[in-house]
Amino acid sequence: MDQSRIGTFITERRREKGLTQAQLAERLNITDRAVSKWETGKSLPDTSTMLELCGILGITADELLSGGRAAGEPKRSPASPGPAERRFSLRTGRGRWGAPLLGGSLLTGVLVCLICDTALSGGLTWSRIPALSAAYAWVLLSPPLALKRGGAAGSLLALSLFTVPYLYGLSRLLSIREVFTVGTVMTALSLLFLWPVYAVFRRAGRTSAALGITCLLLAGLTASIHGALFLLRAAPPAGWNGWSVLLLLLTAAVCFTWRRGGEKQ
């Protein structure tokens, strides 16, 4: 598979359609940097965008992966899928069933727990904990399975909205107050890390700079969590904590140095 040839083909078809890189990126809901990488042969479209890209450019997936139309081959309508398109359609179809299958599996597990709990205890005791946890897991995991785009943002939003209520319910069921108090602080600190990381990768893509920024944020998160646990008297300070932060800072420095070296070449 010749990435350079594929990139040239994408460029030609985009220009034939009268689109700029920014316009194509907007229609695909990605960054124009990603389109630029395709056209310069540095990367390839992933399976989640390939069919949509083919539809916009008026080509088939087979033509895209081969980097051009075969000599003497008549122009085919994108509505007539080739073997590669059928393969990608199959994957997309399986994605649509992901959320219902996950929900069905979790529901089955919850029902088994409820039945066993009722049979052994004569009522609902411990089974309420897996039931609550299953509902929380479904809320977090269903967005990336059900949504073609925006699944990560959906999971982060669900994490932001439902984690504290879940911790409150869990603390009541376990009769352990610290599950809610300590868990809420850890959740807040984690969200202060996860949302910026999502924004960085959304804007910069999978680059060494994004990885470096993530390591810096993770170093701050690690230090904040250990400090919060010490202040809450939930855990004593450990000697290796400083080393973990230092290792993350060194990793960030390597990532930024690698990026600068790549730009000079």
Side-chain angles (χ1 to χ4, degrees), residues 52-186:
E52 191 174 357
L53 174 64
C54 290
I56 294 172
L57 299 182
I59 58 177
T60 65
D62 288 331
E63 291 168 343
L64 177 63
L65 295 175
S66 62
R69 302 188 190 280
E73 182 180 348
K75 184 177 180 179
R76 290 188 295 164
S77 169
S80 304
E85 285 177 291
R86 285 193 292 269
R87 188 161 59 248
F88 293 126
S89 297
L90 214 60
R91 293 175 185 172
T92 305
R94 282 201 291 266
R96 289 198 202 99
W97 290 100
L101 286 175
L102 173 66
S105 301
L106 291 173
L107 180 60
T108 301
V110 169
L111 289 177
V112 170
C113 291
L114 294 175
I115 292 171
C116 292
D117 189 17
T118 303
L120 296 174
S121 307
L124 299 180
T125 56
W126 57 266
S127 61
R128 293 178 295 174
I129 295 175
L132 178 63
S133 299
Y136 177 66
W138 184 83
V139 168
L140 294 186
L141 298 177
S142 57
L145 293 174
L147 301 176
K148 184 178 179 181
R149 299 187 185 282
S155 289
L156 275 176
L157 183 60
L159 187 70
S160 304
L161 295 176
F162 296 104
T163 299
V164 172
Y166 166 70
L167 291 172
Y168 177 75
L170 195 60
S171 67
R172 292 295 299 272
L173 292 174
L174 295 172
S175 299
I176 302 176
R177 182 172 176 271
E178 287 75 12
V179 170
F180 175 70
T181 56
V182 176
T184 299
V185 174
M186 297 301 104

Side-chain angles (χ1 to χ4, degrees), residues 6 11 17 22 33 44 46 49 58 71 80-81 87 114 117 134 160 167 184 205 225 265:
I6 292 173
T11 303
K17 294 293 182 179
R33 185 187 297 244
L44 291 173
D46 56 31
T49 58
S80 304
R87 188 161 59 248
L114 294 175
D117 189 17
S160 304
L167 291 172
T184 299
I225 285 179
Q265 292 177 353

Side-chain angles (χ1 to χ4, degrees), residues 16-77:
E16 287 180 12
K17 294 293 182 179
L19 297 172
T20 64
Q21 287 185 349
Q23 289 171 336
L24 178 59
E26 184 178 358
R27 293 181 64 174
L28 292 171
N29 195 26
I30 59 175
T31 64
D32 52 355
R33 185 187 297 244
V35 176
S36 176
K37 287 184 177 181
W38 298 345
E39 297 188 353
T40 54
K42 294 180 180 178
S43 66
L44 291 173
D46 56 31
T47 56
S48 64
T49 58
M50 189 169 290
L51 279 180
E52 191 174 357
L53 174 64
C54 290
I56 294 172
L57 299 182
I59 58 177
T60 65
D62 288 331
E63 291 168 343
L64 177 63
L65 295 175
S66 62
R69 302 188 190 280
E73 182 180 348
K75 184 177 180 179
R76 290 188 295 164
S77 169

Side-chain angles (χ1 to χ4, degrees), residues 208 211-212 215-216 245-257:
S208 58
L211 182 58
C215 289
L216 287 177
V245 173
L246 179 60
L247 180 60
L248 288 167
L249 292 175
L250 289 174
T251 304
V254 170
C255 292
F256 289 125
T257 303

Side-chain angles (χ1 to χ4, degrees), residues 226 229-230 233-239 241:
H226 291 310
L229 289 174
F230 176 67
R233 299 180 181 178
N241 292 343

